Amino acid sequence: AISGAITPTAASSKIFVSIFYIAAVSNTGSTLAAGEAKIYQDIDSGGYAALFPSAVGNLSFRNVGASGDNQLRAYQTITYLDSPSYTLTDVITYKLYGVTTTGWGTFYICPDSDSASIILMEVAA
């Protein structure tokens, strides 16, 4: 999983999150393949929660011709400016999760152990 952690040094700071990764979708015997990535956040081991009410990093592919095996691989970057509620000693962890769109095959984040990066920067309020 792609994840990173930061401990803010000032009160009320925002956190700039940038994640670069390779995503892939595949679906055997279908013309449809899709999935999505979401950034989740954990503050001081309180449990992960989605930052977005909807998906980011959506990747979909439709072969309009004959049915068959479909695969698509793409580089993606997701950026987000978070305004978390924390105390100064809290560790804030961000993690990227992938979800398959129902009935549209399988969605992969960094298949084949592809490299990825996450950048977390504190932005003063």
Side-chain angles (χ1 to χ4, degrees):
I2 302 167
S3 65
I6 188 169
T7 304
T9 59
S12 302
S13 289
K14 295 178 186 276
I15 306 297
F16 175 78
V17 180
S18 181
I19 303 174
F20 174 79
Y21 63 101
I22 294 176
V25 290
S26 67
N27 201 356
T28 302
S30 176
T31 60
L32 309 172
E36 53 198 31
K38 294 183 181 184
I39 299 174
Y40 279 65
Q41 171 203 73
D42 173 80
I43 298 178
D44 216 31
S45 299
Y48 281 96
L51 287 179
F52 295 100
S54 61
V56 295
N58 187 292
L59 180 64
S60 63
F61 176 72
R62 181 174 183 150
N63 179 354
V64 183
S67 66
D69 298 344
N70 287 301
Q71 296 182 358
L72 176 65
R73 185 175 263 219
Y75 292 98
Q76 294 197 310
T77 301
I78 297 174
T79 56
Y80 181 72
L81 185 60
D82 188 21
S83 300
S85 177
Y86 62 90
T87 59
L88 285 181
T89 58
D90 287 347
V91 175
I92 304 171
T93 305
Y94 297 89
K95 186 179 278 190
L96 190 68
Y97 286 98
V99 179
T100 299
T101 304
T102 302
W104 286 50
T106 305
F107 181 75
Y108 304 94
I109 294 177
C110 296
D112 305 321
S113 300
D114 294 316
S115 61
S117 65
I118 182 167
I119 298 169
L120 303 174
M121 291 188 289
E122 182 177 0
V123 180

